[in-house]
Amino acid sequence: ALSLRGVRMVVFLAESNEMKLASGDTGSACLEAHTKEKVCFTAGKEFAPFGHHGHTVVVAKALCGLKTSGARFHELLSESMHQSGFKLGKADSDAWMKDCGSHCECVCTWVDDVLHAGKSPKEFCDALRTTGFALKPEEEPKHHLGGDFERVEDPEEMLCWGATTCVQRMLVNCEMMFGEDAPKSEMH
C-alpha cells in the first residue's frame, strides 16, 4: 500500500524539478476489475423490473466492500500503467516511474486515487483513458488522501500539504458524537 512517504516523495520530485502536480480519481474503480471471489445472492424486489426477482445472481465484478476488490483493481491499473510505459518503484508497490528523456514522471496510487507529477498531466490522463480508465483530473490538487494542498508565497513560494479539512471534520464528528464543543486551539 502507498505510504505517506511515497506521496511526499512524488510532491518533492514535482516541486524540485518544476513539474506539474495533478490528482485525480479513476471513477468506478471496482466496477472496472473482475473479482476472483465466489459471491452470489438472491435478487430482491428491486430486480423485478428486469425480470430477475428471486433469481440467484452471481457477482462477477469487484464490488466495493468485497475483500479483494482493491487488489483486483490494483492488478488492472498495473496493467494499464505498464502499457503506458511506467515501471513499478522498488520502494513502494503503489509508486510508478517513467523515463521521458528530459525528465522522469512519477505517479502514486491509492486504490482509485492518482497523484501524477510530470510536465503534462493532460497527456498522462489521456494515455490512461486509452487503456479504459475514466480519470477525472484536478490540475493542481487542493485535497488528496485526506490532506489539503496549498501554495504559499511567504516566506518563499512552496506547496504545503496539511490536514486542516481532516481536523475540521473530526471536530464536527466529535461534537456530534458527544453533544458538546470539542476542545480547540488555533490552527496554523
Side-chain angles (χ1 to χ4, degrees), residues 5-71:
R5 184 181 303 153
V7 174
R8 285 189 203 112
M9 186 63 68
V10 168
V11 172
F12 170 77
L13 290 170
E15 286 294 297
S16 60
N17 292 295
E18 298 177 0
M19 292 190 285
K20 294 178 182 173
L21 197 61
S23 66
D25 187 312
T26 58
S28 56
C30 290
L31 294 177
E32 303 286 343
H34 289 274
T35 186
K36 292 181 181 177
E37 293 178 61
K38 305 296 182 202
V39 180
C40 66
F41 63 93
T42 302
K45 296 181 282 193
E46 58 275 8
F47 288 87
F50 310 106
H52 300 299
H53 179 258
H55 290 198
T56 299
V57 178
V58 177
V59 176
K61 293 286 187 162
L63 298 177
C64 186
L66 293 180
K67 197 173 189 176
T68 62
S69 292

Side-chain angles (χ1 to χ4, degrees), residues 96-117:
W96 300 83
M97 301 183 97
K98 178 181 179 181
D99 185 358
C100 296
S102 64
H103 66 285
C104 184
E105 291 192 357
C106 304
V107 175
C108 57
T109 61
W110 178 266
V111 187
D112 65 341
D113 294 315
V114 176
L115 185 63
H116 172 262

Side-chain angles (χ1 to χ4, degrees), residues 1-2 74-75 77-99 104-110:
L2 180 68
H74 185 272
E75 290 170 358
L77 183 61
S78 294
E79 287 177 31
S80 296
M81 294 297 285
H82 283 294
Q83 288 174 8
S84 298
F86 283 86
K87 294 190 182 338
L88 194 56
K90 294 181 181 181
D92 201 319
S93 63
D94 291 302
W96 300 83
M97 301 183 97
K98 178 181 179 181
D99 185 358
C104 184
E105 291 192 357
C106 304
V107 175
C108 57
T109 61
W110 178 266

Side-chain angles (χ1 to χ4, degrees), residues 151-160:
R151 188 161 295 283
V152 297
E153 302 295 326
D154 189 37
E156 62 182 274
E157 183 186 329
M158 69 179 91
L159 183 65
C160 299

Side-chain angles (χ1 to χ4, degrees), residues 83-84 125-133:
Q83 288 174 8
S84 298
C125 292
D126 291 344
L128 210 54
R129 279 190 197 101
T130 62
T131 60
F133 290 98

